[in-house]
C-alpha cells in the first residue's frame, strides 16, 4: 500500500467506528423507552371480558400476551436492525484494519532489510574520533590510534576509511590475517558505493579502490597468499590506469611468485625506470604501502 492508501484506510476505519458508536448510543436511547412488560391491546381484553369469568379473563390475558403493541414492534425492529448494522460495520472495520497493519509490518521488514548508505566522508562524532586516530597514527602511537579506529567502526560500521585505517594499524602490529579481513570490509563498502554512484546522482564516490586493493594485495603477498595477491594487484594496476611504481613493484613480486617470469621482468623494468633517481634499491621499495 502507498502512504495515501494507508491514510485513506485509517480514516475509513475511524469513520466506521464513530458511526457504530453513534448508532449504539441511539439504540440505547430507544431501548430505554420500551416497557418492561408487554401491553395487550385493550380492545382484545374488553371483547373477551363480556363473556368470561375473572379466572377466564386472566387465562385470556396469558393467551394474548404475545400480542405486542405496534410501538414495541417498531422499537425492537429498530434495535435489531441497528445491532446487525453495527456488527457488520465493526466486522468491516476490523477486516480493513488488518490491511494497514500488514502493510506497516511489511514496510518495517523492508526498512530493516535495507542497509544504510555507505559513508565516504566522516561526520559528527565519527569525524572527530577518526581525525584523532589519524593524528595518533602519524605520531607513531599505533595502539591508541587502533582503539579509536575500533570505536569509529562501531559507531559507523559503513564508513569505508574507518575499516581501512584500522587495517593499517593491524598491519603495523603484524596481524596480517585480521588486516586482510578489515581491508576486505573496506573494499566491499567501496565497491558498493561505486555501484550506488552509478545508479544515483549526487553520491560521493570512493576513489581509493585501487589503493585498498594494493594494500590488501601487499598483505596477501606477505602472508603466503601469492595467487590472491596477484589478483588484487592486477586489479589495482588496471584501476590506476597509468604506471605506478609502488603497484608495479608489488605486482612484479606477485608475478614472480606465480611463475609469470616474463611479465614479472617487464613490471620490474618499468618500476626501476620510474624510480631511477632514488637511492634505495627497488627491493626495499617493494614492501607494503602504508
Amino acid at each position: 500500500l502507498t502512504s495515501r492508501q494507508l491514510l485513506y484506510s485509517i480514516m475509513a476505519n475511524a469513520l466506521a467506528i464513530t458511526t457504530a458508536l453513534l448508532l449504539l448510543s441511539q439504540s440505547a436511547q430507544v431501548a430505554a423507552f420500551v416497557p418492561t412488560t408487554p401491553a395487550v391491546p385493550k380492545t382484545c381484553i374488553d371483547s373477551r371480558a363480556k363473556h368470561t369469568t375473572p379466572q377466564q379473563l386472566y387465562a385470556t390475558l396469558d393467551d394474548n400476551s404475545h400480542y405486542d403493541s405496534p410501538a414495541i414492534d417498531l422499537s425492537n425492529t429498530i434495535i435489531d436492525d441497528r445491532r446487525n448494522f453495527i456488527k457488520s460495520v465493526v466486522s468491516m472495520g476490523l477486516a480493513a484494519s488488518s490491511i494497514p497493519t500488514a502493510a506497516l509490518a511489511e514496510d518495517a521488514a523492508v526498512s530493516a532489510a535495507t542497509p544504510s548508505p555507505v559513508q565516504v566522508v566522516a561526520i559528527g562524532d565519527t569525524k572527530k574520533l577518526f581525525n584523532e586516530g589519524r593524528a595518533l597514527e602519524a605520531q607513531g602511537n599505533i595502539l591508541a590510534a587502533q582503539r579509536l579506529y575500533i570505536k569509529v567502526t562501531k559507531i559507523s560500521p559503513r564508513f569505508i576509511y574507518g575499516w581501512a585505517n584500522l587495517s593499517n594499524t593491524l598491519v603495523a602490529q603484524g596481524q596480517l590475517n585480521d588486516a586482510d579481513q578489515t581491508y576486505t570490509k573496506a573494499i566491499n563498502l567501496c565497491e558498493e558505493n561505486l555501484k550506488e554512484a552509478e545508479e544515483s546522482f549526487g553520491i560521493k564516490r570512493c576513489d581509493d579502490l585501487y589503493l585498498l586493493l594494493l594494500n590488501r594485495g601487499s598483505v596477501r603477498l606477505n602472508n603466503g597468499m601469492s595467487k590472491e595477491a596477484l589478483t588484487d594487484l592486477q586489479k589495482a594496476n588496471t584501476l590506476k590506469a597509468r604506471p605506478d611504481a609502488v603497484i608495479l613493484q608489488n605486482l612484479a613480486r606477485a608475478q614472480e611468485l606465480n611463475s609469470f617470469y616474463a611479465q614479472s621482468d617487464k613490471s620490474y623494468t618499468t618500476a626501476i625506470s620510474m624510480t631511477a633517481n632514488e637511492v634505495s634499491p627497488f627491493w626495499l621499495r617493494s614492501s607494503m604501502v602504508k
Side-chain angles (χ1 to χ4, degrees):
L1 292 177
T2 63
S3 298
R4 186 182 299 274
Q5 291 173 329
L6 181 60
L7 178 60
Y8 287 165
S9 179
I10 293 174
M11 292 174 64
N13 292 336
L15 180 60
I17 294 172
T18 303
T19 303
L21 292 175
L22 180 60
L23 292 174
L24 184 61
S25 175
Q26 292 177 352
S27 298
Q29 293 175 4
V30 172
F33 291 97
V34 177
T36 56
T37 303
V40 180
K42 189 175 186 300
T43 56
C44 181
I45 298 175
D46 292 344
S47 63
R48 298 192 181 191
K50 294 178 181 179
H51 56 270
T52 57
T53 63
Q55 290 78 10
Q56 292 172 331
L57 176 59
Y58 294 138
T60 303
L61 287 173
D62 292 338
D63 293 339
N64 288 279
S65 61
H66 63 279
Y67 289 103
D68 294 333
S69 67
I72 296 172
D73 290 339
L74 179 60
S75 299
N76 290 337
T77 302
I78 293 173
I79 293 172
D80 291 339
D81 290 345
R82 288 182 175 176
R83 283 176 178 171
N84 292 333
F85 179 73
I86 290 170
K87 290 179 181 179
S88 63
V89 169
V90 172
S91 299
M92 291 173 61
L94 291 175
S97 65
S98 64
I99 297 176
T101 302
L104 289 173
E106 183 178 353
D107 292 343
V110 171
S111 299
T114 304
S116 58
V118 176
Q119 281 187 262
V120 179
V121 179
I123 58 175
D125 292 338
T126 300
K127 181 178 181 180
K128 180 180 178 181
L129 291 171
F130 183 69
N131 288 338
E132 290 178 1
R134 292 181 63 187
L136 290 170
E137 187 178 3
Q139 296 169 9
N141 195 343
I142 302 300
L143 289 177
Q146 185 181 74
R147 287 193 291 269
L148 290 179
Y149 291 144
I150 290 174
K151 289 183 179 179
V152 168
T153 57
K154 289 182 178 179
I155 296 174
S156 301
R158 292 179 65 77
F159 175 47
I160 298 171
Y161 298 101
W163 294 107
N165 282 30
L166 175 59
S167 302
N168 294 342
T169 61
L170 291 169
V171 170
Q173 298 176 71
Q175 301 176 28
L176 300 186
N177 290 330
D178 292 338
D180 187 295
Q181 295 178 8
T182 49
Y183 272 133
T184 299
K185 289 184 178 180
I187 290 170
N188 291 341
L189 288 172
C190 186
E191 291 176 338
E192 183 179 341
N193 165 262
L194 293 175
K195 184 178 179 180
E196 292 176 353
E198 290 178 358
E199 297 174 351
S200 305
F201 294 102
I203 296 180
K204 176 69 175 177
R205 290 175 56 90
C206 170
D207 295 324
D208 295 319
L209 181 57
Y210 84 93
L211 187 58
L212 296 171
L213 288 167
L214 170 60
N215 284 352
R216 188 177 69 175
S218 300
V219 167
R220 292 176 171 181
L221 189 62
N222 289 274
N223 200 31
M225 302 172 65
S226 58
K227 184 176 180 179
E228 293 82 357
L230 179 60
T231 301
D232 281 350
L233 295 168
Q234 286 174 333
K235 289 181 180 179
N237 189 49
T238 301
L239 289 170
K240 187 62 176 176
R242 58 185 176 83
D244 181 275
V246 178
I247 294 177
L248 288 171
Q249 290 164 10
N250 285 275
L251 177 59
R253 178 59 179 162
Q255 290 168 335
E256 179 185 355
L257 292 175
N258 285 277
S259 303
F260 297 114
Y261 299 115
Q263 297 177 17
S264 176
D265 180 70
K266 182 179 179 181
S267 297
Y268 274 131
T269 300
T270 306
I272 292 171
S273 66
M274 296 178 67
T275 57
N277 296 326
E278 295 185 16
V279 176
S280 58
F282 73 92
W283 57 84
L284 294 179
R285 294 194 302 272
S286 66
S287 62
M288 183 167 37
V289 179
K290 293 183 179 180

